C-alpha cells in the first residue's frame, strides 16, 4: 500500500481517505468516547495554529511530557504539521532527569499532561531562557503564570484562527519535507547517559511503509494502545502505522486497566513488550491452578492440544487430522474462554523491545492469538527485522524488512543501513561517529542470520560477561530462561572479570507468597521468607534446570534473592523497564562480592 512520505501526510491522508467515525477512542467518566477523523483533524489544526501564535516555528523543539492518551497524538501531529520537532519525555522521569534533556534540546514550548507533570516540568525548566510557554493538557491549577496555558483554551483560540485562516494549517503541513527533522527521542540509557536520536519524517514514514508490507492490517481492526507513545515502538507501530492502515486506535486508561479496557473495546490488535505477555501467561496459569481438579485437568489438556498445533506450525509441518480435530475441540471447550477475557476479537499481537521466549509464543499461538516478533532500536525508526505472518520462526526476529540492509560485523555485531537510520545524535557528534561508521549503524547487539535469512539475536555487545579466564558468557538467554519460572520476576547475571557467573534474582512475590501459603510456610517478612532453606531450594532447582543445558563455564554457580523489586527511582530500570546492569552492579556491590567469598569455581 502507498504511504505518505511525511508523518503529518500520513495523518492527512488517513482523514481524506478513511473518514473513520472511531479513528480514536478514549475512556471518559460516562464510558468510551469515539472521536472521528474530521474531529481529530479539527483538534490538530486548532492546536497547531494556537502554538504558531505562541511563537512555534519550523525547526523549534516542543517537549511533550505525557502518558499515552488521545491528546498526546493530537499534540504530536500539531507540532509536526508546523514543521517543528516533537521531543517526547517519559512521564516517569524525575525533574532532575528532565532538566538534563531540556538543557540539551533547548525547547521553546513544554506540554505536560497533568498537574503533577506540570509541577515537575516547572521545576525542571526553572531559569532556562529558551522556554517561553508551558501548556497543560488537564485543567490548569490556580495561580499559574501568564506563560502557562490550558490546552482547552488553546483549542478554543485555535478554532477561531482556523476560521480566520482556513488554509493556514494545510499550507504549513504541505511544506514539510521527508528530510525535515520530526523528533528527537532520548534513548533509555541502559549502557550510559541518554542520547537524543534525531529521526526525520522520511526515516519513520519509510519504516511505516516497509513494515506494512510485512504486517497486514484490516480496516475493521482496532488497536488497544497502552505502551508509552514516547517510545518509538508504540509511536511508529501503534500510532502512525495504524493511521496509515485505517485502523481505529483506543487508548487504555493506564497499564493496570488494560485487561478491563480490552473487555470493553474488544481490540483485534495489540502492541506489547515481552514482560506484558509474560504477565498474561502467568495470570492465566495462576487462575487455572486455582480451579478444582477436573476443570484444571480440562484446561491443561486443552492447552496441550493447542501447543501441539503451535509446534507443528512453527516447525512448518501440517498436523495430523486427529491433532487438528482435538485442537478445534480444545478451542471450543477451553481456549476460546481465554480469548474472551481479552475481548474476544484479538487476532494478532506484536512484540518488540526485548527477546520473547518460545514458550510464550507457543502459549499465545495455542489459544489462537499469534504473536509477531520484530527487532529494532530507537535509532532505526525502529524496525530492522520483522517476522512475517504465518511464517514466524520462534527464536528469531525475522528477516530484514524491505529496503533495510543487515550484515554481521567481524565481532558478531549486527549492523544495518537504509532509509530507517537516524540522522545522528542531537548535539553529540562523537557519539554519532561511533554509532554510524562507513554508512552502517552499529546496533550494539550480537547475532547471526540463519540459512533462511532470519536474524537471531544472542546478546548485547556491552552486556557480554568476560570471565577472568577469558571465556565469554551471553547472559540474556539464561536470564530469559529463568524468567519463565513463576517465582522469578527478574534475573540479572553477573561475572564480568570474575571467576564464574552469579545471579541476582528478584522474586515474583505474588507467586512466591502464594506458594508459601499453599505449603503453610510462615511469612513474617519478605526477608525471613527468602532466607528459608526450602525457598532457596525452589530457586536452586530452577537454576539447576537452566545450568543443565549450559557448558560448565556458563553455569550459574551462586545466587542471591533480593527483597525488593528494581525501580526507576533507584536508577536500576529504564523507562521501558529494561534493567541497567551497571547500576545494579554498583547498588549491590557488597552483596555481589559476598557471592565470591571463599569460592573459586572453575570458569
Amino acid at each position: 500500500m502507498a504511504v505518505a512520505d511525511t508523518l503529518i501526510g500520513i495523518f492527512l491522508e488517513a482523514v481524506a481517505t478513511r473518514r473513520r467515525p472511531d479513528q480514536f477512542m478514549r475512556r471518559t467518566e460516562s464510558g468510551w468516547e469515539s472521536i472521528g477523523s474530521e474531529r481529530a483533524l479539527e483538534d490538530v489544526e486548532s492546536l497547531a495554529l494556537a502554538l504558531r501564535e505562541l511563537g512555534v516555528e519550523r525547526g523549534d523543539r516542543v517537549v511533550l511530557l505525557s502518558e499515552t492518551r488521545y491528546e498526546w497524538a493530537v499534540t504530536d501531529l500539531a507540532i509536526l504539521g508546523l514543521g517543528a520537532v516533537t521531543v517526547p519525555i517519559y512521564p516517569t522521569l524525575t525533574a532532575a532527569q528532565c532538566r538534563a534533556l531540556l538543557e540539551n534540546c533547548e525547547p521553546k514550548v513544554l506540554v505536560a499532561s497533568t498537574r503533577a507533570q506540570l509541577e515537575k516540568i516547572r521545576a525542571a525548566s526553572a531559569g532556562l531562557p529558551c522556554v517561553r510557554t508551558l501548556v497543560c493538557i488537564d485543567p490548569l491549577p490556580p495561580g499559574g503564570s501568564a506563560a502557562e496555558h490550558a490546552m482547552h483554551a488553546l483549542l478554543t483560540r485555535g478554532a477561531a484562527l482556523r476560521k480566520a485562516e482556513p488554509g493556514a494549517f494545510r499550507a504549513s503541513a504541505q511544506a514539510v519535507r521527508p528530510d525535515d527533522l520530526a523528533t528527537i527521542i532520548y534513548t533509555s540509557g541502559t549502557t550510559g547517559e541518554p542520547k537524543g536520536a534525531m529521526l526525520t519524517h522520511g526515516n519513520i514514514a519509510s519504516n511505516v511503509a516497509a513494515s506494512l508490507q510485512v504486517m497486514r492490517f484490516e480496516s475493521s481492526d482496532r488497536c488497544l494502545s497502552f505502551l508509552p507513545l514516547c517510545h518509538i515502538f508504540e509511536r511508529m507501530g501503534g500510532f502512525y502505522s495504524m493511521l496509515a492502515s485505517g485502523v481505529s486506535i483506543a487508548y487504555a486508561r493506564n497499564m493496570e486497566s488494560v485487561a478491563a479496557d480490552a473487555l470493553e473495546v474488544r481490540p483485534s490488535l495489540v502492541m506489547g513488550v515481552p514482560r506484558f505477555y509474560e504477565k498474561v501467561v502467568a495470570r492465566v496459569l495462576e487462575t487455572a491452578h486455582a480451579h478444582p481438579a477436573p476443570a484444571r485437568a480440562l484446561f491443561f489438556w486443552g492447552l496441550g492440544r493447542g501447543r501441539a498445533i503451535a509446534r507443528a506450525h512453527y516447525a512448518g509441518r501440517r498436523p495430523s487430522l486427529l491433532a487438528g480435530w482435538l485442537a478445534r475441540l480444545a478451542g471450543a471447550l477451553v481456549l476460546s474462554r481465554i480469548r474472551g477475557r481479552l475481548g474476544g476479537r484479538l487476532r494478532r499481537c506484536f512484540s518488540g523491545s526485548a527477546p520473547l521466549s518460545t514458550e510464550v509464543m507457543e502459549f499465545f499461538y495455542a489459544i489462537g492469538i499469534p504473536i509477531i516478533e520484530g527487532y529494532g532500536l530507537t535509532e532505526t525508526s525502529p524496525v530492522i527485522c520483522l517476522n512475517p505472518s504465518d511464517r514466524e520462526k520462534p527464536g528469531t526476529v525475522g528477516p530484514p524488512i524491505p529496503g533495510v540492509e543487515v550484515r554481521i560485523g567481524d565481532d558478531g555485531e549486527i549492523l544495518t543501513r537504509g532509509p530507517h537510520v537516524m540522522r545522528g545524535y542531537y548535539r553529540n557528534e562523537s557519539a554519532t561517529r561511533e554509532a554510524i561508521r562507513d554508512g552502517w549503524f552499529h546496533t550494539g547487539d550480537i547475532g547471526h542470520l540463519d540459512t533462511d535469512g532470519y536474524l537471531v539475536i544472542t546478546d548485547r555487545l556491552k552486556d557480554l560477561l568476560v570471565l577472568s579466564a577469558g571465556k565469554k558468557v551471553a547472559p540474556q538467554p539464561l536470564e530469559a530462561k529463568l524468567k519463565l519460572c513463576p517465582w522469578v520476576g527478574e534475573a540479572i547475571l553477573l561475572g564480568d572479570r570474575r571467576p564464574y557467573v552469579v545471579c541476582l534474582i528478584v522474586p515474583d512475590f505474588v507467586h512466591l507468597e502464594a506458594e508459601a501459603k499453599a505449603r503453610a510456610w510462615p511469612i513474617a517478612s519478605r526477608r525471613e521468607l527468602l532466607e528459608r532453606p526450602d525457598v532457596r531450594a525452589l530457586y536452586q532447582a530452577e537454576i539447576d534446570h537452566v545450568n543443565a543445558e549450559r557448558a560448565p563455564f556458563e553455569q550459574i554457580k551462586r545466587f542471591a534473592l533480593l527483597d525488593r523489586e528494581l525501580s526507576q527511582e533507584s536508577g536500576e530500570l529504564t523507562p521501558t523497564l529494561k534493567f541497567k546492569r551497571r547500576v545494579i552492579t554498583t547498588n549491590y556491590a557488597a552483596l555481589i562480592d559476598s557471592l565470591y567469598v571463599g569460592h573459586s569455581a572453575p570458569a
Side-chain angles (χ1 to χ4, degrees), residues 558-573:
R558 300 191 73 192
F559 71 95
L561 301 174
L562 306 185
D563 60 3
R564 69 167 181 86
E565 296 181 352
L566 304 178
S567 69
Q568 294 181 54
E569 292 73 21
S570 61
E572 296 156 350
L573 293 179

Side-chain angles (χ1 to χ4, degrees), residues 279-472:
K279 287 183 176 180
V280 171
V281 173
R283 191 176 299 117
V284 171
L285 295 180
E286 182 181 11
T287 302
H289 280 294
H291 284 321
R296 185 167 62 246
L298 178 63
F299 171 85
F300 283 102
W301 171 84
L303 184 59
R305 303 289 71 75
R307 283 190 182 276
I309 296 299
R311 292 182 185 122
H313 169 75
Y314 290 136
R317 55 182 172 79
R318 185 185 296 273
S320 67
L321 291 176
L322 177 60
W325 182 83
L326 289 173
R328 288 191 294 273
L329 179 62
L333 294 176
V334 179
L335 304 178
S336 61
R337 298 181 183 180
I338 304 174
R339 294 195 299 273
R341 290 189 215 163
L342 300 171
R345 292 183 63 242
L346 195 57
R347 68 178 184 85
R348 187 145 294 160
C349 297
F350 297 86
S351 182
S353 182
L356 183 68
S357 72
T358 298
E359 288 82 354
V360 171
M361 285 189 72
E362 280 186 1
F363 177 93
F364 273 85
Y365 194 93
I367 66 174
I369 308 172
I371 298 180
I372 306 299
E373 186 175 17
Y375 163 71
L377 298 91
T378 299
E379 294 91 337
T380 58
S381 303
V383 181
I384 296 173
C385 295
L386 185 62
N387 268 287
S389 302
D390 300 322
R391 291 190 290 117
E392 316 96 317
K393 290 182 69 173
T396 81
V397 292
I401 61 174
V404 168
E405 294 181 73
V406 169
R407 74 176 177 88
I408 308 301
D410 294 339
D411 56 358
E413 185 178 9
I414 300 165
L415 313 180
T416 186
R417 70 178 176 185
H420 61 310
V421 174
M422 66 172 182
R423 180 183 292 176
Y425 293 114
Y426 191 66
R427 293 178 175 171
N428 196 334
E429 292 183 6
S430 61
T432 300
R433 287 193 299 270
E434 177 65 21
I436 304 174
R437 285 172 263 157
D438 298 324
W440 291 88
F441 176 74
H442 290 240
T443 67
D445 291 313
I446 299 173
H448 64 270
L449 293 164
D450 70 9
T451 54
D452 294 320
Y454 284 53
L455 182 64
V456 179
I457 302 171
T458 54
D459 220 294
R460 287 286 299 171
L461 187 64
K462 293 183 179 180
D463 274 353
L464 275 181
L465 306 179
V466 182
L467 304 181
S468 56
K471 297 281 189 178
K472 296 180 180 178

Side-chain angles (χ1 to χ4, degrees), residues 584-598:
I584 293 168
T585 299
T586 300
N587 289 358
Y588 289 97
L591 177 60
I592 296 166
D593 287 342
S594 73
L595 296 177
Y596 290 95
V597 173

Side-chain angles (χ1 to χ4, degrees), residues 211-212 215 217 222-228 233-239 241-242 255 258 267-274 276-277 346 348-352 372 383 386:
S211 297
L212 289 179
M215 52 182 189
F217 300 141
R222 174 173 294 148
C223 176
L224 180 61
S225 176
F226 56 87
L227 293 179
F233 174 49
E234 181 67 17
R235 192 169 168 196
M236 189 287 287
F239 181 24
S241 293
M242 298 302 166
M255 286 293 290
V258 170
S268 56
L269 304 171
V270 157
M271 300 277 171
V273 293
F276 168 77
Y277 298 118
L346 195 57
R348 187 145 294 160
C349 297
F350 297 86
S351 182
I372 306 299
V383 181
L386 185 62

